[in-house]
Amino acid sequence: MCKALRFAATPAFLINEYADWIRLYDTLSDEDRADMATKANSFKHRPLITVLMPVYKSTPRWLIEAIESVKRQTYPNWELCIVDDASEDEEMQAIFERFSREDSRIKVKCRETNGHISAASNDGLMMASGEWVALLDHDDLMSESALFWLVDAINANPDARLIYSDEDKIDEISKRHSPYFKCDWNVDLFYSHNLITHLGAYRLDLIQEVGGFRIGFEGAQDYDLALRCIEKIRPDQIHHIPRVLYHWRVHCGSTAQSAEAKPYAMIAGEKALNDHFQRMGVRATSELRGHGYRTHYLLPEQEPTVSIIIPTRNGLSLTRQCVESILSKTTYSNYQIVIVDNGSDDPLALQYFEYLKSSRGVHILRDERPFNYSSLNNAAVKSAQGEFVALLNNDVEVISPEWLSEMVAIAMQPGVGAVGARLWYPSLTLQHAGIILLGDLVAGHAHKGLPKNSPGYAGRASHIQSFSAVTGACMVVRKSVYEEVGGLNEVDLKVAFNDVDFCLRLKEAGYRNIWTPYAELFHHESATRGYEDTPEKKERFASESYFMKNRWGNILWHDPAYSPNLTLDNEGFGYAWPPRN
């Protein structure tokens, strides 16, 4: 339905790769079709699915292809409700008459006056008899197995009320490209762009409960619908099918080609988001930003106190750079800095610490124990006075003055655990944009090495979103939540993966971890501790990797913030060969 606001196209070098991926993993054989037909007949629940398709002055060839894509479905219990929004086109009328005559499952209504897509869609809902409604644009295509996998998901998830799938694009000569392999339900990413989009399917009674499509939100009417629907259901009633079930037509004037093609749609999406926040009583505003939307969460008039914890041993130049960047650039006012001095013996470093303590109001916490990143932070958090704590490596440097305001405002939201920042190497390539779980590799930094100004896969290097974990190099969390889950694991994870394990325990406790690109810092990674390149360090790293695999097991292979269609070989969002579904 809505062709508003998408993301950068797949890079050219992946186009041919995707053709191979389709051939190997997304092409039905006659045997597949026979198996689906057999299983479709054996489904315990075989609901009628209404496919809703408003049309207006369609290109006849694409309209025919759209209708034919429904007729080819391997699941047969469907109806197609077509509403022509007063096109007054004789060729289109002939197409409607032919298809409705040939197949009684196809219903057509022709409006006498043009009311735009929301009004036409509501007319379609009045015609609907199905238990579920799937949305189809008049120039797009459903995959042959779309409704089969939809009903399969309905049977496997009987409490589901909203289901969405992966999607790709199809050009004017029917060549598929630019797949969007989506993550599971991720409300923070959804606030950044319409994660649901295509194929989106809703329980009819849910759509009726929220009042159908709203007039005045044309172009973003399905985004607005989804926002109102999620207000009425639980997150676990939203299900993602990790299969490409929808092909979005790219043509001149389509926002599949360019988001700028329909600026009214993007503006309508912004309005839909702001209406949603107002209805939910959330102190936030949404702003159109590039290929997506930015949510600004508002801080209270009295900012909560934040304790910024920076462990270090000597490292004068790095620590000074870190501290001075905080003091000179940070616009957030209510914070204190706690430097955890892990046995420094450099006279110049000790002299600097004394200077900070006496003249800058910085607290120095001396800890003589052998280096253990987890225990150093845990001890500091225990003594911290702030309502929130910010864990900070001494090798980071503030870039954006609002970094702490942004992170605290998000961390204050209900249900939020840890909040992470966007970290750059000094070369202006990306170091951290969230952490994804990578099976045997345990975890990696999403989009690591991405050039500056690149939006990343599906825009995900430039959108606020939830991740399974964020890095402890710059992390903000409520102190009470930190302590609730026991802080960092100082027994099994003294150096590596303690932040990943901590975030996974936050998720286990029901919190979500959020990454924001609007808190930016440089990360001079490993400048203090060095790399894992000595026998002792390698042995310790192997032990910590083993612990993570043993503790988290299958979770490392099935990251809900990632896709089973994307690789576990690295953090670059390449295709999985084969997919893990």
Side-chain angles (χ1 to χ4, degrees):
M1 305 289 282
C2 173
K3 297 206 170 181
L5 211 56
R6 302 305 294 160
F7 38 81
T10 298
F13 72 88
L14 288 179
I15 297 297
N16 290 335
E17 277 197 47
Y18 187 50
D20 291 337
W21 194 93
I22 292 170
R23 177 177 55 82
L24 289 170
Y25 310 123
D26 197 32
T27 301
L28 294 184
S29 65
D30 289 340
E31 184 179 0
D32 293 329
R33 295 182 181 91
D35 289 345
M36 286 182 174
T38 300
K39 186 173 181 179
N41 287 327
S42 66
F43 280 139
K44 182 177 180 181
H45 183 44
R46 300 180 74 251
L48 176 65
I49 307 295
T50 296
V51 179
L52 181 61
M53 188 170 73
V55 301
Y56 179 68
K57 294 186 177 180
S58 305
T59 300
R61 175 168 62 90
W62 293 338
L63 176 62
I64 291 170
E65 289 182 12
I67 296 172
E68 290 284 5
S69 77
V70 180
K71 290 193 65 177
R72 285 195 301 270
Q73 291 299 304
T74 55
Y75 178 77
N77 194 21
W78 54 262
E79 64 177 8
L80 173 60
C81 293
I82 301 172
V83 179
D84 176 54
D85 195 20
S87 297
E88 299 180 348
D89 185 296
E90 292 184 1
E91 185 175 5
M92 287 177 59
Q93 297 303 316
I95 293 170
F96 298 148
E97 291 174 9
R98 174 168 68 85
F99 277 108
S100 60
R101 182 173 63 249
E102 293 174 351
D103 194 324
S104 62
R105 295 174 294 180
I106 299 175
K107 307 175 183 178
V108 179
K109 175 177 179 177
C110 295
R111 290 174 52 87
E112 294 182 359
T113 58
N114 178 260
H116 216 314
I117 192 168
S118 294
S121 297
N122 284 333
D123 283 356
L125 291 175
M126 295 293 291
M127 300 161 61
S129 304
E131 182 180 323
W132 283 78
V133 175
L135 309 181
L136 175 64
D137 275 8
H138 61 160
D139 48 4
D140 297 341
L141 304 176
M142 293 170 61
S143 79
E144 189 177 350
S145 58
L147 297 186
F148 170 85
W149 289 116
L150 175 59
V151 175
D152 180 72
I154 291 168
N155 277 270
N157 304 273
D159 205 28
R161 300 192 72 189
L162 194 166
I163 296 175
Y164 66 99
S165 78
D166 295 351
E167 61 189 85
D168 64 14
K169 295 176 183 175
I170 189 166
D171 64 18
E172 297 186 20
I173 58 172
S174 298
K175 181 178 180 181
R176 292 169 55 188
H177 62 93
S178 304
Y180 183 9
F181 294 131
K182 304 175 185 177
C183 60
D184 288 344
W185 178 240
N186 187 324
V187 67
D188 303 289
L189 181 57
F190 179 63
Y191 289 159
S192 298
H193 71 213
N194 188 354
L195 175 66
I196 295 171
T197 327
H198 310 303
L199 177 71
Y202 303 75
R203 282 282 303 244
L204 176 60
D205 55 5
L206 175 61
I207 297 179
Q208 292 170 333
E209 180 182 355
V210 301
F213 296 90
R214 285 206 293 174
I215 307 299
F217 290 84
E218 286 75 14
Q221 72 287 334
D222 58 343
Y223 200 7
D224 176 64
L225 174 69
L227 285 162
R228 288 180 289 121
C229 284
I230 68 171
E231 296 167 12
K232 302 293 184 180
I233 59 180
R234 304 187 308 271
D236 64 0
Q237 292 178 300
I238 305 171
H239 180 75
H240 167 227
I241 302 172
R243 298 178 184 273
V244 178
L245 304 185
Y246 195 99
H247 314 303
W248 189 10
R249 182 79 65 179
V250 176
H251 58 85
C252 182
S254 164
T255 48
Q257 177 70 34
S258 167
E260 285 71 34
K262 295 182 182 177
Y264 72 88
M266 296 181 279
I267 294 169
E270 181 182 273
K271 184 176 187 301
L273 281 161
N274 284 315
D275 279 9
H276 167 75
F277 292 136
Q278 186 173 23
R279 289 191 300 270
M280 297 297 289
V282 177
R283 297 183 69 249
T285 59
S286 181
E287 172 196 8
L288 183 60
R289 180 70 69 91
H291 289 282
Y293 300 97
R294 176 183 178 179
T295 299
H296 295 268
Y297 293 98
L298 304 183
L299 286 166
E301 186 174 334
Q302 179 60 48
E303 296 174 344
T305 303
V306 181
S307 296
I308 303 174
I309 296 169
I310 308 171
T312 189
R313 174 180 168 81
N314 297 321
L316 173 60
S317 61
L318 284 171
T319 304
R320 179 161 51 201
Q321 179 178 256
C322 176
V323 171
E324 295 302 324
S325 73
I326 295 169
L327 294 172
S328 64
K329 294 181 181 178
T330 303
T331 55
Y332 193 91
S333 60
N334 193 12
Y335 68 87
Q336 58 182 210
I337 296 176
V338 179
I339 293 179
V340 185
D341 175 12
N342 187 210
S344 296
D345 55 10
D346 176 3
L348 292 178
L350 294 172
Q351 183 179 342
Y352 178 62
F353 297 158
E354 285 300 315
Y355 160 72
L356 289 175
K357 184 166 56 174
S358 62
S359 65
R360 306 300 292 269
V362 176
H363 303 279
I364 309 297
L365 182 65
R366 182 79 174 181
D367 193 323
E368 301 277 2
R369 290 176 292 177
F371 178 76
N372 180 324
Y373 181 84
S374 297
S375 63
L376 291 174
N377 280 286
N378 286 346
V381 170
K382 187 174 182 180
S383 64
Q385 299 176 2
E387 181 183 348
F388 289 83
V389 293
L391 307 189
L392 217 63
N393 280 13
N394 73 332
D395 56 0
V396 300
E397 177 187 356
V398 172
I399 299 173
S400 55
E402 71 280 3
W403 72 281
L404 192 55
S405 299
E406 169 76 3
M407 296 178 77
V408 173
I410 295 174
M412 292 187 69
Q413 302 309 305
V416 172
V419 178
R422 178 155 64 176
L423 305 182
W424 297 98
Y425 289 118
S427 62
L428 293 180
T429 55
L430 195 57
Q431 189 270 332
H432 176 72
I435 290 175
I436 51 180
L437 306 179
L438 294 174
D440 270 341
L441 298 178
V442 181
H445 294 282
H447 292 108
K448 189 173 183 179
L450 196 72
K452 183 79 170 175
N453 299 322
S454 174
Y457 181 77
R460 289 193 63 180
S462 55
H463 289 327
I464 297 172
Q465 63 203 271
S466 300
F467 275 100
S468 289
V470 294
T471 182
C474 181
M475 173 192 292
V476 171
V477 60
R478 196 181 292 269
K479 179 181 176 180
S480 61
V481 172
Y482 186 99
E483 294 177 329
E484 177 188 337
V485 300
L488 303 182
N489 183 338
E490 55 190 70
V491 176
D492 306 293
L493 301 171
K494 297 177 181 179
V495 179
F497 300 126
N498 39 53
D499 47 5
V500 179
D501 172 75
F502 173 69
C503 287
L504 290 178
R505 284 185 280 117
L506 287 171
K507 277 179 57 64
E508 196 174 51
Y511 296 99
R512 68 185 196 276
N513 303 307
I514 300 177
W515 174 81
T516 174
Y518 303 109
E520 297 188 280
L521 301 91
F522 285 123
H523 190 191
H524 306 271
E525 189 181 33
S526 302
T528 303
R529 288 284 303 166
Y531 294 94
E532 307 292 342
D533 54 2
T534 67
E536 181 184 357
K537 288 181 179 181
K538 288 179 180 178
E539 182 179 355
R540 190 259 311 145
F541 183 80
S543 173
E544 291 171 331
S545 296
Y546 176 79
F547 172 83
M548 289 295 292
K549 295 172 189 177
N550 189 55
R551 169 66 175 88
W552 296 107
N554 202 41
I555 289 173
L556 299 180
W557 294 86
H558 300 282
D559 187 344
Y562 197 51
S563 168
N565 294 313
L566 297 174
T567 184
L568 296 181
D569 294 339
N570 55 61
E571 55 272 272
F573 289 79
Y575 304 145
W577 306 84
R580 296 178 299 283
N581 55 5

mmCIF file of all heavy atoms in Angstrom, residues 180-183 186 189 193 433 436 447 455-463 465-467 515 561-563 566 573:
data_model
loop_
_atom_site.group_PDB
_atom_site.id
_atom_site.type_symbol
_atom_site.label_atom_id
_atom_site.label_comp_id
_atom_site.label_asym_id
_atom_site.label_seq_id
_atom_site.Cartn_x
_atom_site.Cartn_y
_atom_site.Cartn_z
ATOM 1 N N TYR A 180 14.957 -6.847 1.047
ATOM 2 C CA TYR A 180 15.023 -6.371 2.421
ATOM 3 C C TYR A 180 14.745 -7.575 3.307
ATOM 4 O O TYR A 180 13.600 -7.957 3.514
ATOM 5 C CB TYR A 180 14.001 -5.264 2.659
ATOM 6 C CG TYR A 180 14.063 -4.649 4.062
ATOM 7 C CD1 TYR A 180 15.090 -4.935 4.964
ATOM 8 C CD2 TYR A 180 13.088 -3.758 4.487
ATOM 9 C CE1 TYR A 180 15.134 -4.374 6.225
ATOM 10 C CE2 TYR A 180 13.124 -3.171 5.751
ATOM 11 C CZ TYR A 180 14.146 -3.487 6.613
ATOM 12 O OH TYR A 180 14.190 -2.922 7.872
ATOM 13 N N PHE A 181 15.811 -8.179 3.794
ATOM 14 C CA PHE A 181 15.704 -9.280 4.740
ATOM 15 C C PHE A 181 15.561 -8.667 6.127
ATOM 16 O O PHE A 181 16.527 -8.154 6.700
ATOM 17 C CB PHE A 181 16.925 -10.188 4.652
ATOM 18 C CG PHE A 181 17.045 -10.922 3.343
ATOM 19 C CD1 PHE A 181 18.237 -10.933 2.639
ATOM 20 C CD2 PHE A 181 15.961 -11.605 2.813
ATOM 21 C CE1 PHE A 181 18.347 -11.617 1.434
ATOM 22 C CE2 PHE A 181 16.063 -12.289 1.604
ATOM 23 C CZ PHE A 181 17.260 -12.299 0.918
ATOM 24 N N LYS A 182 14.368 -8.715 6.663
ATOM 25 C CA LYS A 182 14.022 -7.973 7.865
ATOM 26 C C LYS A 182 14.357 -8.739 9.137
ATOM 27 O O LYS A 182 14.578 -9.952 9.124
ATOM 28 C CB LYS A 182 12.523 -7.629 7.844
ATOM 29 C CG LYS A 182 12.093 -6.865 6.608
ATOM 30 C CD LYS A 182 10.581 -6.670 6.579
ATOM 31 C CE LYS A 182 10.122 -6.017 5.291
ATOM 32 N NZ LYS A 182 8.649 -5.877 5.221
ATOM 33 N N CYS A 183 14.364 -8.020 10.231
ATOM 34 C CA CYS A 183 14.490 -8.645 11.544
ATOM 35 C C CYS A 183 13.094 -8.931 12.091
ATOM 36 O O CYS A 183 12.086 -8.535 11.500
ATOM 37 C CB CYS A 183 15.260 -7.738 12.497
ATOM 38 S SG CYS A 183 14.499 -6.120 12.762
ATOM 39 N N ASN A 186 10.597 -5.168 15.892
ATOM 40 C CA ASN A 186 11.581 -4.239 16.437
ATOM 41 C C ASN A 186 10.921 -2.866 16.424
ATOM 42 O O ASN A 186 10.980 -2.143 15.442
ATOM 43 C CB ASN A 186 12.830 -4.273 15.550
ATOM 44 C CG ASN A 186 13.994 -3.490 16.096
ATOM 45 O OD1 ASN A 186 13.838 -2.437 16.700
ATOM 46 N ND2 ASN A 186 15.196 -4.006 15.865
ATOM 47 N N LEU A 189 13.020 0.240 15.441
ATOM 48 C CA LEU A 189 13.293 0.332 14.009
ATOM 49 C C LEU A 189 12.024 0.717 13.260
ATOM 50 O O LEU A 189 12.063 1.481 12.285
ATOM 51 C CB LEU A 189 13.840 -0.996 13.494
ATOM 52 C CG LEU A 189 14.209 -1.057 12.008
ATOM 53 C CD1 LEU A 189 15.235 0.005 11.642
ATOM 54 C CD2 LEU A 189 14.718 -2.449 11.644
ATOM 55 N N HIS A 193 11.520 3.524 10.281
ATOM 56 C CA HIS A 193 10.914 3.323 8.961
ATOM 57 C C HIS A 193 9.880 2.207 9.065
ATOM 58 O O HIS A 193 9.872 1.449 10.032
ATOM 59 C CB HIS A 193 11.957 3.073 7.858
ATOM 60 C CG HIS A 193 12.652 1.744 7.896
ATOM 61 N ND1 HIS A 193 13.953 1.587 7.503
ATOM 62 C CD2 HIS A 193 12.240 0.510 8.248
ATOM 63 C CE1 HIS A 193 14.307 0.322 7.609
ATOM 64 N NE2 HIS A 193 13.283 -0.346 8.061
ATOM 65 N N ALA A 433 27.773 0.004 15.307
ATOM 66 C CA ALA A 433 26.393 0.420 15.032
ATOM 67 C C ALA A 433 25.448 -0.653 15.552
ATOM 68 O O ALA A 433 24.534 -1.094 14.872
ATOM 69 C CB ALA A 433 26.188 0.648 13.538
ATOM 70 N N ILE A 436 25.473 -7.645 16.539
ATOM 71 C CA ILE A 436 24.660 -8.761 16.064
ATOM 72 C C ILE A 436 25.309 -10.066 16.508
ATOM 73 O O ILE A 436 26.533 -10.162 16.633
ATOM 74 C CB ILE A 436 24.478 -8.732 14.528
ATOM 75 C CG1 ILE A 436 25.806 -8.591 13.798
ATOM 76 C CG2 ILE A 436 23.533 -7.608 14.136
ATOM 77 C CD1 ILE A 436 25.661 -8.558 12.285
ATOM 78 N N HIS A 447 27.820 -3.561 10.633
ATOM 79 C CA HIS A 447 28.302 -2.584 9.653
ATOM 80 C C HIS A 447 29.717 -2.088 9.930
ATOM 81 O O HIS A 447 30.096 -1.004 9.489
ATOM 82 C CB HIS A 447 27.361 -1.376 9.566
ATOM 83 C CG HIS A 447 26.032 -1.693 8.978
ATOM 84 N ND1 HIS A 447 24.885 -1.742 9.730
ATOM 85 C CD2 HIS A 447 25.666 -1.974 7.711
ATOM 86 C CE1 HIS A 447 23.853 -2.036 8.943
ATOM 87 N NE2 HIS A 447 24.307 -2.178 7.709
ATOM 88 N N PRO A 455 24.263 4.760 4.418
ATOM 89 C CA PRO A 455 23.153 4.415 5.308
ATOM 90 C C PRO A 455 23.195 2.990 5.823
ATOM 91 O O PRO A 455 22.496 2.647 6.764
ATOM 92 C CB PRO A 455 21.919 4.647 4.429
ATOM 93 C CG PRO A 455 22.410 4.417 3.036
ATOM 94 C CD PRO A 455 23.818 4.938 3.021
ATOM 95 N N GLY A 456 23.998 2.130 5.173
ATOM 96 C CA GLY A 456 24.060 0.738 5.601
ATOM 97 C C GLY A 456 22.937 -0.092 5.018
ATOM 98 O O GLY A 456 22.116 0.385 4.235
ATOM 99 N N TYR A 457 22.904 -1.367 5.404
ATOM 100 C CA TYR A 457 21.905 -2.285 4.868
ATOM 101 C C TYR A 457 20.503 -1.828 5.273
ATOM 102 O O TYR A 457 20.203 -1.709 6.459
ATOM 103 C CB TYR A 457 22.156 -3.709 5.381
ATOM 104 C CG TYR A 457 21.163 -4.704 4.836
ATOM 105 C CD1 TYR A 457 21.272 -5.179 3.537
ATOM 106 C CD2 TYR A 457 20.098 -5.135 5.612
ATOM 107 C CE1 TYR A 457 20.344 -6.067 3.013
ATOM 108 C CE2 TYR A 457 19.167 -6.028 5.102
ATOM 109 C CZ TYR A 457 19.295 -6.488 3.800
ATOM 110 O OH TYR A 457 18.360 -7.365 3.285
ATOM 111 N N ALA A 458 19.665 -1.565 4.280
ATOM 112 C CA ALA A 458 18.288 -1.123 4.528
ATOM 113 C C ALA A 458 18.240 0.097 5.449
ATOM 114 O O ALA A 458 17.277 0.287 6.187
ATOM 115 C CB ALA A 458 17.445 -2.264 5.107
ATOM 116 N N GLY A 459 19.281 0.913 5.402
ATOM 117 C CA GLY A 459 19.317 2.106 6.242
ATOM 118 C C GLY A 459 19.629 1.836 7.694
ATOM 119 O O GLY A 459 19.577 2.752 8.523
ATOM 120 N N ARG A 460 20.013 0.608 8.025
ATOM 121 C CA ARG A 460 20.121 0.251 9.438
ATOM 122 C C ARG A 460 21.368 0.797 10.125
ATOM 123 O O ARG A 460 21.487 0.681 11.346
ATOM 124 C CB ARG A 460 20.030 -1.275 9.606
ATOM 125 C CG ARG A 460 18.627 -1.809 9.331
ATOM 126 C CD ARG A 460 18.461 -3.232 9.781
ATOM 127 N NE ARG A 460 18.626 -3.371 11.224
ATOM 128 C CZ ARG A 460 18.519 -4.533 11.860
ATOM 129 N NH1 ARG A 460 18.255 -5.639 11.169
ATOM 130 N NH2 ARG A 460 18.688 -4.606 13.162
ATOM 131 N N ALA A 461 22.279 1.395 9.387
ATOM 132 C CA ALA A 461 23.414 2.055 10.032
ATOM 133 C C ALA A 461 23.101 3.510 10.361
ATOM 134 O O ALA A 461 23.966 4.232 10.868
ATOM 135 C CB ALA A 461 24.649 1.977 9.135
ATOM 136 N N SER A 462 21.862 3.928 10.085
ATOM 137 C CA SER A 462 21.505 5.332 10.313
ATOM 138 C C SER A 462 20.152 5.496 11.005
ATOM 139 O O SER A 462 19.603 6.591 11.029
ATOM 140 C CB SER A 462 21.490 6.092 8.977
ATOM 141 O OG SER A 462 20.638 5.458 8.041
ATOM 142 N N HIS A 463 19.616 4.402 11.571
ATOM 143 C CA HIS A 463 18.308 4.454 12.235
ATOM 144 C C HIS A 463 18.415 4.034 13.698
ATOM 145 O O HIS A 463 19.129 3.068 14.024
ATOM 146 C CB HIS A 463 17.315 3.493 11.566
ATOM 147 C CG HIS A 463 16.871 3.918 10.207
ATOM 148 N ND1 HIS A 463 16.716 5.232 9.845
ATOM 149 C CD2 HIS A 463 16.526 3.185 9.115
ATOM 150 C CE1 HIS A 463 16.299 5.296 8.589
ATOM 151 N NE2 HIS A 463 16.187 4.072 8.120
ATOM 152 N N GLN A 465 17.222 1.882 16.605
ATOM 153 C CA GLN A 465 16.620 0.541 16.552
ATOM 154 C C GLN A 465 17.061 -0.278 17.751
ATOM 155 O O GLN A 465 18.021 0.078 18.445
ATOM 156 C CB GLN A 465 17.043 -0.175 15.273
ATOM 157 C CG GLN A 465 18.534 -0.428 15.172
ATOM 158 C CD GLN A 465 18.992 -0.618 13.750
ATOM 159 O OE1 GLN A 465 18.985 -1.730 13.253
ATOM 160 N NE2 GLN A 465 19.420 0.475 13.105
ATOM 161 N N SER A 466 16.378 -1.381 17.976
ATOM 162 C CA SER A 466 16.789 -2.323 19.011
ATOM 163 C C SER A 466 17.793 -3.308 18.436
ATOM 164 O O SER A 466 17.698 -3.700 17.270
ATOM 165 C CB SER A 466 15.572 -3.096 19.538
ATOM 166 O OG SER A 466 14.616 -2.231 20.101
ATOM 167 N N PHE A 467 18.735 -3.696 19.250
ATOM 168 C CA PHE A 467 19.680 -4.769 18.950
ATOM 169 C C PHE A 467 19.717 -5.720 20.136
ATOM 170 O O PHE A 467 19.323 -5.362 21.250
ATOM 171 C CB PHE A 467 21.095 -4.214 18.716
ATOM 172 C CG PHE A 467 21.349 -3.737 17.308
ATOM 173 C CD1 PHE A 467 21.284 -2.387 16.998
ATOM 174 C CD2 PHE A 467 21.659 -4.636 16.301
ATOM 175 C CE1 PHE A 467 21.527 -1.933 15.704
ATOM 176 C CE2 PHE A 467 21.899 -4.200 15.006
ATOM 177 C CZ PHE A 467 21.831 -2.856 14.699
ATOM 178 N N TRP A 515 20.124 1.060 20.065
ATOM 179 C CA TRP A 515 21.276 1.771 19.512
ATOM 180 C C TRP A 515 20.776 3.027 18.816
ATOM 181 O O TRP A 515 19.755 3.009 18.128
ATOM 182 C CB TRP A 515 22.013 0.878 18.510
ATOM 183 C CG TRP A 515 23.116 1.589 17.786
ATOM 184 C CD1 TRP A 515 24.378 1.825 18.253
ATOM 185 C CD2 TRP A 515 23.057 2.167 16.473
ATOM 186 N NE1 TRP A 515 25.117 2.511 17.304
ATOM 187 C CE2 TRP A 515 24.329 2.734 16.210
ATOM 188 C CE3 TRP A 515 22.063 2.255 15.501
ATOM 189 C CZ2 TRP A 515 24.619 3.387 15.006
ATOM 190 C CZ3 TRP A 515 22.354 2.899 14.307
ATOM 191 C CH2 TRP A 515 23.619 3.455 14.066
ATOM 192 N N ALA A 561 17.188 -9.566 16.079
ATOM 193 C CA ALA A 561 17.455 -8.271 15.455
ATOM 194 C C ALA A 561 18.226 -8.409 14.148
ATOM 195 O O ALA A 561 18.665 -7.415 13.567
ATOM 196 C CB ALA A 561 18.239 -7.376 16.422
ATOM 197 N N TYR A 562 18.369 -9.636 13.670
ATOM 198 C CA TYR A 562 19.094 -9.934 12.447
ATOM 199 C C TYR A 562 18.177 -10.816 11.614
ATOM 200 O O TYR A 562 17.014 -10.996 11.935
ATOM 201 C CB TYR A 562 20.409 -10.625 12.813
ATOM 202 C CG TYR A 562 21.479 -10.676 11.748
ATOM 203 C CD1 TYR A 562 21.889 -9.531 11.068
ATOM 204 C CD2 TYR A 562 22.111 -11.877 11.456
ATOM 205 C CE1 TYR A 562 22.893 -9.585 10.125
ATOM 206 C CE2 TYR A 562 23.131 -11.949 10.518
ATOM 207 C CZ TYR A 562 23.513 -10.799 9.849
ATOM 208 O OH TYR A 562 24.511 -10.862 8.904
ATOM 209 N N SER A 563 18.661 -11.362 10.513
ATOM 210 C CA SER A 563 17.811 -12.188 9.647
ATOM 211 C C SER A 563 18.490 -13.519 9.356
ATOM 212 O O SER A 563 19.703 -13.554 9.111
ATOM 213 C CB SER A 563 17.537 -11.469 8.317
ATOM 214 O OG SER A 563 16.960 -12.364 7.371
ATOM 215 N N LEU A 566 20.631 -13.656 6.253
ATOM 216 C CA LEU A 566 21.900 -12.919 6.207
ATOM 217 C C LEU A 566 23.004 -13.736 6.872
ATOM 218 O O LEU A 566 22.748 -14.532 7.774
ATOM 219 C CB LEU A 566 21.749 -11.563 6.885
ATOM 220 C CG LEU A 566 20.757 -10.600 6.217
ATOM 221 C CD1 LEU A 566 20.565 -9.344 7.060
ATOM 222 C CD2 LEU A 566 21.210 -10.224 4.806
ATOM 223 N N PHE A 573 26.240 -7.948 6.699
ATOM 224 C CA PHE A 573 24.886 -8.070 6.167
ATOM 225 C C PHE A 573 24.873 -8.677 4.759
ATOM 226 O O PHE A 573 24.006 -8.357 3.946
ATOM 227 C CB PHE A 573 24.150 -6.726 6.168
ATOM 228 C CG PHE A 573 23.769 -6.234 7.544
ATOM 229 C CD1 PHE A 573 24.706 -5.617 8.365
ATOM 230 C CD2 PHE A 573 22.485 -6.387 8.033
ATOM 231 C CE1 PHE A 573 24.380 -5.170 9.632
ATOM 232 C CE2 PHE A 573 22.136 -5.941 9.300
ATOM 233 C CZ PHE A 573 23.083 -5.326 10.096
#
